[in-house]
Amino acid sequence: MQIRLKSGQDFATGLLFLVIGIGAYYIGSTYSMGVAQRPGTGVLPRILAWCLIGTGVLMWIKAFVGPGEGTYRFSWRPVVMVLLGVAILVLYLTVFPPILAALKIQGDGSPIIAVTLAMLVAVTGMPNTPWRPLVMVTIGVIAFSLLVDTAGLIVAMVVSMTLAALGTHETRWREFAAFSVLMLLIGYGLFIYALGMPIKVLPWN
Amino acid sequence: MRRRDFIKLSAAGLAGAVSGSASAQAAWPARPVKLVVPYAPGGASDIIARPWAEALGQAFGQQFVVENRGGAGGMIGSEAVMKSPPDGYTFLLTPCAALTILPLLQKTPYDPQKNFLPVGRVGDTISGFVIHPSVGVKTFQEMVAYAKANPGKLSYGSAGNGTITHFRLEIVKYKAGIDILHVPYRGSADSLNDLLANNIQMMAEINPLPHVKAGKLNLLSINHPKRSPEFPDTPTLTECGYPGCDMISWYAIWAPAGTPADIIQKFNAKIAEIGNGADMKKKLQSISAVEVVVTPEETGKFLAEEMQRNAELIKAANIKLE
Amino acid sequence: MELGNLFDNLALGISVAVSFKNLFYCLCGAIIGTAIGVLPGVGPLATLALLLPVTYHLSPEGALIMLAGIYYGAQYGGSTTAVLVNLPGESSSVVTCIDGYQMARQGRAGPALAIAAIASFFAGCVATVIIALAAPPLTKVAQQFAAADYFSLMVLGLVFAIVLARGSVIKAVGMIFLGMLLGLVGTDVNTGNTRFTFGISSLFDGIGFVPLAMGVFGIAEIVHNLTNTERRDLVSAKVSGLMPTRADIKQSIGPILRGTALGSFLGLLPGGGAVLASFSAYTLEKKISRTPERFGKGAIEGVAAPEAANNAAAQTSFIPMLTLGIPSNPVMALMIGGMMIHGIIPGPQVMDQRPGLVWGLIVSMWLGNLMLVVLNLPLIGIWVRMLLVPYRLLAVSILFFCCIGTYSLNNAAEEVLLIAFFGVLGYLLMRLECEPAPLLLGFILGPLMEVYMRRAMLLSRGDPWVFYDRWLSFTFLVMAVILLLIVIAPNVRKKREEAFQE
């Protein structure tokens, strides 16, 4: 009997569910269950993890047994990129901490950045995924969060908008420059002037 | 804060910095003073803090600004004040729980007795045990008898594990030797809802009180040394035979350790002046609170007593954050 | 309630609400609320917290009127971004994104926004009348709900979320579970233990709705549109007519009526019924429609019903506050705070002791709705024109507002980082054709379900049969099972047919 993959998408979705479900179960099993009258921290995580795993299995069944002619073609790119993403994560957990400490980059953000970047790399591995918009927009948002506390709103906005604009080849730079000035004015007017939010605007305040 | 306030504050701050710290001390307050409330805006603490901020502002001729810094049950705002410079321009205005309960149940970055200097008490909220009429008891003693005869049947709603409303139940359970089910909610508003529907039978907070007045709930006791003028017929907990079990939610102002003593004295004197005035008394009474005018030393002593009593209770009744 | 009494009260209310000052505050509230609703990130809760000190200097009537105006004004504004750029301003607008955005892509943003405003206005009026006529008896009804009933209601809500989905049911179910897991991240309030936080302190209070929604809806959509240039250009170029057609209006009447009824009822439940209003209305319309396949592709009922429902719920959620002093959501809690600052303790006596305040508020709610529809309808032209901006610039501005809006909530840069994370995840899900709406609904309902489950077990002294014993809870669970079967059955039948064909 030949088992053919009918739908790469269903397989990938199932894989996603299984990975998250198993991960959640693994972490959730360390939480206490409590007693019947006082359900503990771990009750819902475990139930949900099982549900997600179950859903993942169903997706896999659908991927192999569902309707379709099995014209899915295997390609190396997704596998390579996913492995690369995992590698980044592993690097982050092992090699980066001393480097980051030396550069004095701290704060809670770094695990989130690491996981986001790892995921970014893995996702660009999907077939028919031009990397440019996804990567540039994501980096733009990350840049904003890294810059806004230290360099102020204007710098953060300019950098992140520029990075995002780089994400598409349609950008016309003169138009973009005028537009970003407009955006900065609106942003300043709305958030700083009208709402009075205590946000740092310039790098030297 | 609003843009205008922000600009005013920065300008004032600049002026204050330029004039030098020594002269700022002598003319305290020379610029706006921050009262940090370590809870989200619109909560019970705001209702005490804002009238005081306004009254102090008028009395001193300088703005007293309430800043809300909620989170972690009061820990975040308190920590922020602990870390602020002790120059007399940042104070903590908080109900006791952040200082008398939290540090005993979990690790806090501050030690209430070492990191803060008492300035003065600014009000106690008065509440008492209320019970749903369907239980059929009208006095505190009847309730205790009922609870002894029916262990675990009554249930009591608190504002959450480790809050002062939780402790109000635990101390009575411990001293009277009764078994009442503790049901934690996320805030007193949720528990009031269930109380009115008789899903739980008891609470001890201020928000059921209007319903007592409307005849929907029975008030069993007043958890305060003196009877409340709103409910003159209800005995205090002490009168019911349980002295020292009041668990009052008392509000006080604290300064970061190292704040100059003369600033504290000046502040306390003004608090006493305002607290004794009819205006503040009326304002507090309208929100079921009463003013207690004491010196900083007495405040500090009260803190120590409360912390000791709570520590004993936690050990004896085996209270954990689970 | 005697009619004579009602007229007296209304007259009193009108005399309070129609003063120059109070009308002005009402207008301020409406304008600010709309602006807040349109801006992604900043929501009514954050705004009310900011403005609470300002209201201290107003009269209690003025303060409440303005705060209330901001609250329901935000409901009007939130649907605007949902329709135009697929960004839900608030949890109640998530469902509007589904069909509203599709309508915008078909060049029908104008009618979508107009119907949303009209539906909201109608619902607001009806809800105000309900409050005026029947507040006390309705409160008694709401009191019948105990923790077990809320739990079962949430379960029913989750099943509704499955029905919402356009595509594969299994994927929708998976999204709901994933959303619920995301909702669990943070500190478990009952025990103080942290779950799934990996030691990151900014996650201790959980993942915020705003970063999640901005990422999964906003960023993912931007990336998707920047990638697929051909599909997108075809659509945004044509904008046919700003006003809804006769057919649109005819199709919307039923949904508006049903949405209003559903929303008015759910808003009463202090335990959080309002959050269910918009998507239960949507699900109802989808299930009773003769052409359910249009849903998810730009069916106007999919905009009319949720909008009516969430505005009705927003208004009726005032009832528990006015009659009992119990807030149904954090915004109401803030308003109670506002009342208490003025020395008014909320409770059953407020209606008797300060009828001017209560009835003035009720009348001003109707006036506020009127102001809002007058404000919003002309604005539609401006909003729709914004869509004509070339997408390469629109994308940048969406990014801009997402970042600054989220950052301004708590001055927390980590929340912006979360947007990046959820943006990538959202794009991945989009490519896998997993829809974001069930994810967000699971995210909202999951933690609520847990709270009620625990409370129900605690109150029942550990007896799990309480969900079966209480008739309300039992009814909801049975409805959930039936609905689930209705959803699954066609799929099963289809598979069997295919199996037979092979």
Side-chain angles (χ1 to χ4, degrees), chain C residues 103-348:
Chain C
M103 283 183 73
R105 307 196 77 184
Q106 291 159 17
R108 303 235 298 145
L113 291 174
I115 287 289
I118 296 173
S120 300
F121 175 66
F122 179 80
C125 292
V126 170
T128 308
V129 169
I130 291 180
I131 298 178
L133 287 179
L138 286 175
T139 321
K140 285 219 178 57
V141 171
Q143 295 261 281
Q144 301 297 315
F145 279 68
D149 307 315
Y150 278 107
F151 171 80
S152 305
L153 185 61
M154 299 290 145
V155 169
L156 184 59
L158 286 176
V159 176
F160 282 158
I162 301 178
V163 177
L164 270 183
R166 292 173 261 214
S168 146
V169 169
I170 308 181
K171 282 193 206 168
V173 169
M175 283 293 103
I176 293 180
F177 292 144
L178 183 57
M180 288 173 75
L181 270 174
L182 286 174
L184 290 181
V185 171
T187 309
D188 173 16
V189 183
N190 273 27
T191 58
N193 296 333
T194 57
R195 283 190 285 210
F196 300 124
T197 53
F198 306 106
I200 303 174
S201 63
S202 55
L203 289 181
F204 281 2
D205 278 325
I207 296 177
F209 172 80
V210 172
L212 179 63
M214 297 293 116
V216 169
F217 277 89
I219 303 292
E221 185 71 25
I222 295 179
V223 173
H224 181 73
N225 283 341
L226 285 178
T227 315
N228 291 15
T229 46
E230 327 79 29
R231 228 177 82 192
R232 175 239 308 161
D233 278 338
L234 271 179
V235 169
S236 63
K238 56 177 170 116
V239 174
S240 49
L242 289 180
M243 279 295 131
T245 63
R246 270 255 192 91
D248 286 334
I249 298 187
K250 231 181 95 179
Q251 274 180 313
S252 306
I253 296 182
I256 293 182
L257 287 172
R258 288 184 285 267
T260 306
L262 202 50
S264 303
F265 175 68
L266 286 171
L268 288 174
L269 304 177
V275 79
L276 294 175
S278 54
F279 59 93
S280 40
Y282 183 92
T283 307
L284 180 66
E285 290 310 310
K286 190 170 175 184
K287 273 296 142 200
I288 68 177
S289 164
R290 291 199 198 107
T291 49
E293 58 287 342
R294 285 185 305 117
F295 279 76
K297 301 205 184 87
I300 196 144
E301 300 95 312
V303 173
E307 282 301 309
N310 76 31
N311 212 41
Q315 311 259 236
T316 53
S317 61
F318 276 86
I319 292 185
M321 183 190 83
L322 291 175
T323 54
L324 294 176
I326 297 178
S328 325
N329 53 53
V331 172
M332 289 296 140
L334 264 180
M335 289 207 224
I336 288 187
M339 278 170 80
M340 292 190 76
I341 286 180
H342 284 96
I344 306 173
I345 302 197

Side-chain angles (χ1 to χ4, degrees), chain B residues 42-87:
Chain B
S45 317
D46 268 20
I47 292 151
I48 302 247
R50 291 186 193 273
W52 272 102
E54 176 144 341
L56 285 166
Q58 279 171 357
F60 276 117
Q62 269 294 344
Q63 245 197 339
F64 275 64
V65 180
V66 171
E67 188 181 289
N68 294 87
R69 285 251 203 137
M75 194 156 57
I76 302 222
S78 311
E79 182 182 354
V81 173
M82 170 186 84
K83 290 193 178 145
S84 350
D87 54 6

Side-chain angles (χ1 to χ4, degrees), chain C residues 410-492:
Chain C
N410 288 323
N411 269 41
E414 291 88 30
E415 302 208 351
V416 182
L417 267 185
L418 284 177
I419 299 183
F421 175 81
F422 286 116
V424 179
L425 181 66
Y427 182 71
L428 172 64
L429 292 175
M430 208 183 243
R431 290 299 304 276
L432 293 175
E433 288 184 9
C434 294
E435 293 162 62
L439 180 84
L440 254 77
L441 293 174
F443 175 77
I444 299 170
L445 289 181
L448 280 177
M449 246 181 69
E450 189 185 33
V451 167
Y452 289 125
M453 187 260 296
R454 281 171 143 166
R455 197 178 297 157
M457 292 303 283
L458 189 58
L459 286 173
S460 73
R461 309 321 197 251
D463 172 24
W465 288 106
V466 66
F467 301 109
Y468 171 83
D469 288 333
R470 292 188 59 92
W471 70 271
L472 264 176
S473 165
F474 182 68
T475 312
F476 290 139
L477 288 177
V478 165
M479 280 169 68
V481 169
I482 293 180
L483 197 55
L484 202 54
L485 289 175
I486 295 180
V487 167
I488 298 181
N491 285 10
V492 172

